[in-house]
Amino acid sequence: MNSEQPEEPGTPQPPPERGTPVGRRVLLGTIGLGALGVVAAPALQHALEGFLGAAAEKDPTGLTGLLPNGGGFRYYSVASSVPHRNATNYRLTVDGLVDRPKTYTLDDLRALPQTRLVKDVQCVTGWRVPGTPFEGVRLSRLLDAAGVRSTAGAVRFTCFDGTYTESLTLDQARRSDVLVALRMQDKNIGHDHGGPVRLYVAPMYFYKSAKWLSGITVTEDVKPGYWEDRGYDVDAWVGHSNGRDDEPTS
Ligand SMILES: Nc1nc2c(c(=O)[nH]1)N[C@H]1C(S)=C(S)[C@@H](COP(=O)(O)O)O[C@H]1N2
Ligand SMILES: [Mo]
């Protein structure tokens, strides 16, 4: 557990802009005190997420301690508490419109060929962490192993936090830069970052990269995920402004 990261955010809060500390005055000036106490518009809600957990411990106003952790990542969870899973009790199910549904253990996933990608991570709220390595099993490999039926058009992801969901079209899910990730920043993914296994959708905003991944269900159509139900784009392509968001050739 990284002590720099908040663990269980309660009320959401605004992130600093790209690693710049945001002072209390700026915060209040931007959104107004009233917005802190209620659930705001979806976009603001997301912009505000993941903040009070740590700050509240440090300051009763909940308005200080806005600094991102050293690596530039913020801790995000829409669930207030998430169970821990490890090599003993972690399971990933692949089911739905497939010929061979399967349940993987962590060791099963580790035994499969691993792909490593190093790209920028970008949250839709503006923060970015450049050149972050992710490593894991290509989602396309798990889909091929399951035998996707011809009627299928999409993939739905569920999480053992019991709340978060995401989805991709089948074409998106089959891209070579979409991983069922076991490692991030060249370490096994820790609990706070969605370990032991999270989705990593390299070319899309980071909200697509569902943490604590526990289910992959092949479906007919895309069913919008948690944030998408709250107003976010289902097709969450990151702008190509960094010139590094294209699909890798290898
Ligand atoms: N299960 C789950 N996955 C999630 C989220 C979440 O709240 N719950 N937040 C998303 C968002 S908005 C972002 S920016 C990233 C944050 O990942 P991190 O906590 O590793 O920085 O996770 C994404 N995946
Ligand atoms: Mo995000």
Side-chain angles (χ1 to χ4, degrees), residues 9-27:
T11 310
Q13 284 190 18
E17 197 164 309
R18 296 220 183 126
T20 310
V22 174
R24 171 179 182 167
R25 203 158 295 139
V26 176
L27 171 67

Side-chain angles (χ1 to χ4, degrees), residues 105-168:
T105 65
L106 195 53
D107 285 340
D108 291 338
L109 293 171
R110 285 175 176 155
L112 294 171
Q114 308 288 309
T115 298
R116 184 172 181 271
L117 301 172
V118 183
K119 294 165 79 71
D120 297 356
V121 158
Q122 190 163 326
C123 175
V124 72
T125 57
W127 57 272
R128 162 174 290 197
V129 184
T132 305
F134 280 85
E135 208 175 317
V137 182
R138 284 200 173 124
L139 177 57
S140 62
R141 172 177 289 275
L142 300 186
L143 294 174
D144 288 347
V148 173
R149 297 198 180 141
S150 59
T151 51
V155 183
R156 175 157 179 81
F157 306 94
T158 48
C159 306
F160 63 81
D161 64 10
T163 307
Y164 205 76
T165 53
E166 256 306 336
S167 62
L168 292 171

Side-chain angles (χ1 to χ4, degrees), residues 193-211:
H193 281 306
V197 179
R198 80 182 292 170
L199 187 66
Y200 175 56
V201 184
M204 293 194 176
Y205 285 112
F206 210 27
Y207 64 84
K208 279 286 176 184
S209 294
K211 303 175 9 166

